[in-house]
Amino acid sequence: MRPSVAHHHPGARALGARPRLHAPAPGWSIDADVVVVGSGVAGLTAALRCEAAGLTTVVVTKARLDDGSTRWAQGGVAAALGEGDTPEQHLDDTLVAGAGLCDEEAVRILVTEGPDAVRRLIATGAHFDESGEGGLALTREGGHHRSRIAHAGGDATGAEISRALVEAVRARGLRTIENALVLDLLTDADGRTAGVTLHVMGEGRHDGVGAVHAPAVVLATGGMGQVFSATTNPAVSTGDGVALALRAGAEVSDLEFVQFHPTVLFLGPEAEGQQPLVSEAVRGEGAHLVDADGVRFMQGQHELGELAPRDIVAKGILRRMREQDTEHMYLDARHFGAEMWERRFPTILAACRAHGIDPVTEPVPVAPAAHYASGGVRTDSHGRTTVPGLYACGEVACTGVHGANRLASNSLLEGLVYAERIATDITGNTRPARVPQPLPATERPADPLLPPEARFTIQRIMTRGAGVLRSEASLAEAAQSLHRLHAEAREALDENGKTAEPGVDTWEATNLLCVARVLVAAAQRREETRGCHWREDRPERDDTAWRRHIVVRLNPDRTPAVHTTDTTDFPPTLPQPQEQ
C-alpha cells in the first residue's frame, strides 16, 4: 500500500531555475482550467471527463488527434468481463507478470474499476466485436489464464477506440491544438504548475511557440520507443512527456523496464523506425512459434508455453536465435486458413502482405522490438506527480500497475481507469480564482539542442547497449557515449553560444537524449534480471536486494540522480492541496 504522507515542496525559485529547451519566447497564449497533452485513450478520456465537469479544457497533440500509439493497439483491452472471470483473477495474472514490482493497490484499482470503465467507453461510442450469443467476444493473450481481452474489428481495437474518442471530442467541441509539440512546463511563484509552452508546426490556428496557461496539466504523451532503432511505436513517440517532467523537477520510476514485444514483423537487420506488430492475440488464437526447422521451442519453458508473459517469450526467441545464429524466428498460423485470417486479423494480414509475406501460406518471420515503457513519470493512485498540479496517465506514467513487465492488453485499460481518476481529482479540488502567472522563462537556463541526425546516433547506442540484452559493459559504453553527446553540445553552447537550430527535429533529439541517459542510469543501477530487464552478467532475480523501485530525477547539471526505494512501496508523491 502507498503511505499517505505530506512532503514540503521545494521553494518556487528552485523550480523556476530548472532547465528548459532552447526555444523562442512564446508569442501567443491562451488560458484554460486544464491542458491535456496527448490524444490517445488516456488523454482524450481525461479531457472528456474534465470538460463534462464544466472545466475549460484544451487538448494539445503532436500530430493529428488520432496519430498516437492508441490506434496501433491490435490486441484489445483486458478486463474481467467474461463469465466466471473476476477482478481477483485479473489481479493475480497482473502481479505474476509484473515480477514482484507491481503496486498491489494500483493493480486492485485497475482491475476493480476496469470493467465499468470499458462499459463507459462502449457508451461513448466504441464498438467491440461480439460473440454469437450477443455478448462481447473475448480472447486470451500472454500471461492471462482467462479469455478477457475485448477487441474490435478483429485486430483493430486501438483504431476503433481512437475513432470513438476523437468523435466524442469533436462532438463536444473541445478546444484542440493539433500538430503541436509540447516544450516545457510553466510554474508559478509558488512552484505550482502554471501551464505549458508549445510549438505549433505550421498548421492550425496558431503558428510558432506559444503557451497554454492552466493550473492543471495532464501529461498523456505516450511512450519513448523511438529511443531504439526498431520499435512498434509511431514516429511521434520520442519521450517528450518524460523529458518535460524531468526538466520540471519531477521524478520518474522504473524506466529500465522497457518491454520488447516478442513478435514484431522482421523486415531485415537494417530496418529502422516503426515496425509492424504481430499481435499476441494471433498466438492466443492458436499460432505457434517455430524455428526454421518448424520446431516449437516454447513448449516446456513455461506453463503457458507460447502464451507466457512477454519477457519470457522474448527471451525464449532470443535464446533460440543465439543457439542457431539467426536473426529471427517464425510464427506459424497457416492452419488458420484464409477465412480466419481475413476475419480475425485483417490488419496484420495486410501488413504482412504489404511486405511480401502471406501468413495464409507461409510462416511469418518475427523478432523482438521495443514496444512499451512500463516505467515513466511517477504518480500516485490519482495520477498526481511530484510537481503540484502536474498529472500523468497512460504510457508516460508509472502508476505501479505494470511492475517489471506489463501484462498484455492492460495498457489501454490503465489509460482509461487512471485518466478517469485524474479527472475526478482535478474536478474535486477547489480551483484558483485565476490562472497562475508563470515565472519568466528568462530565469530558466536553456539546454543545448542536438542536431537532428543525433536521433539515429542515440538509437544505435541504445539498441547496442541497452536493448533486450544488457550487461555492465554494454550499459557503461552506452552511458559514456550518451554523456559525450551531451557534453559536446554543452561545450559548443558554453564556448560560443552555438546550439542546433530550434525546431521539432532538434527538440525531439534532445528529448531522446534526456530519456536515454536516465533509462541507462536506471538499468546500470539494477544489478539483476527481472521482468523485461535482462542483465546477461546478472542472470538471476534477486528479491532480497532488488525487490524495490529505482527513482530518478535530474540534478542541476542535467546528470541523473538515481536512488533506490527502501521497500517495494512507492514513496508518496506530493499531495495536491485541497484549497488553493
Side-chain angles (χ1 to χ4, degrees), residues 42-64:
L44 295 188
T45 299
L48 284 165
R49 297 291 181 273
C50 287
E51 191 273 341
L55 300 181
T56 304
T57 305
V58 174
V59 176
V60 174
T61 189
K62 195 170 175 181
R64 298 190 307 274

Side-chain angles (χ1 to χ4, degrees), residues 74 127-130 151-158 160 342-347:
Q74 295 172 347
H127 302 295
F128 285 89
D129 296 337
E130 295 184 352
H151 48 84
D155 59 357
T157 310
E160 171 57 18
E342 288 162 6
R343 171 181 53 81
R344 182 68 179 86
F345 301 112
T347 310

Side-chain angles (χ1 to χ4, degrees), residues 83-99:
E83 188 176 346
D85 197 5
T86 64
E88 202 67 30
Q89 292 175 67
H90 189 183
L91 180 138
D92 289 343
D93 285 347
T94 301
L95 295 181
V96 169

Side-chain angles (χ1 to χ4, degrees), residues 145-171:
H145 283 80
R146 290 230 176 225
S147 293
R148 65 168 67 97
I149 316 298
H151 48 84
D155 59 357
T157 310
E160 171 57 18
I161 290 173
S162 182
R163 179 206 61 77
L165 290 173
V166 168
E167 281 191 11
V169 161
R170 288 182 171 145

Side-chain angles (χ1 to χ4, degrees), residues 277-347:
L277 179 67
V278 182
S279 171
E280 207 151 308
V282 179
R283 279 174 281 138
E285 297 288 356
H288 305 142
L289 277 168
V290 298
D291 61 18
D293 298 321
V295 176
R296 292 176 66 181
F297 54 87
M298 281 305 298
Q299 291 178 309
Q301 293 199 32
H302 187 276
E303 60 163 341
L304 293 174
E306 283 135 328
L307 282 175
R310 287 178 179 174
D311 61 310
I312 293 167
V313 178
K315 288 172 188 176
I317 291 172
L318 280 164
R319 283 196 190 100
R320 184 55 66 102
M321 283 164 55
R322 282 181 150 191
E323 288 168 9
Q324 300 187 343
D325 193 26
T326 59
E327 294 175 313
H328 61 83
M329 288 287 113
Y330 292 94
L331 192 65
D332 191 353
R334 288 174 291 180
H335 55 286
F336 284 4
E339 190 276 331
M340 180 173 171
W341 266 110
E342 288 162 6
R343 171 181 53 81
R344 182 68 179 86
F345 301 112
T347 310

Side-chain angles (χ1 to χ4, degrees), residues 122-200:
I122 292 169
T124 302
H127 302 295
F128 285 89
D129 296 337
E130 295 184 352
S131 66
E133 293 78 43
L136 287 176
L138 301 173
T139 191
R140 272 181 71 202
E141 289 186 4
H144 293 273
H145 283 80
R146 290 230 176 225
S147 293
R148 65 168 67 97
I149 316 298
H151 48 84
D155 59 357
T157 310
E160 171 57 18
I161 290 173
S162 182
R163 179 206 61 77
L165 290 173
V166 168
E167 281 191 11
V169 161
R170 288 182 171 145
R172 296 295 295 263
L174 260 79
R175 185 165 193 173
T176 59
I177 305 176
E178 295 181 282
N179 303 295
L181 172 64
V182 69
L183 299 175
D184 278 302
L185 189 75
L186 296 169
T187 53
D188 67 10
D190 296 321
R192 283 191 55 84
T193 291
V196 291
T197 55
L198 64 155
H199 172 78
V200 181

Side-chain angles (χ1 to χ4, degrees), residues 247-264:
R247 287 192 298 271
E251 292 180 347
V252 303
S253 186
D254 300 353
L255 224 60
E256 69 272 26
F257 296 119
V258 177
Q259 187 177 81
F260 285 76
H261 198 289
T263 53
V264 175

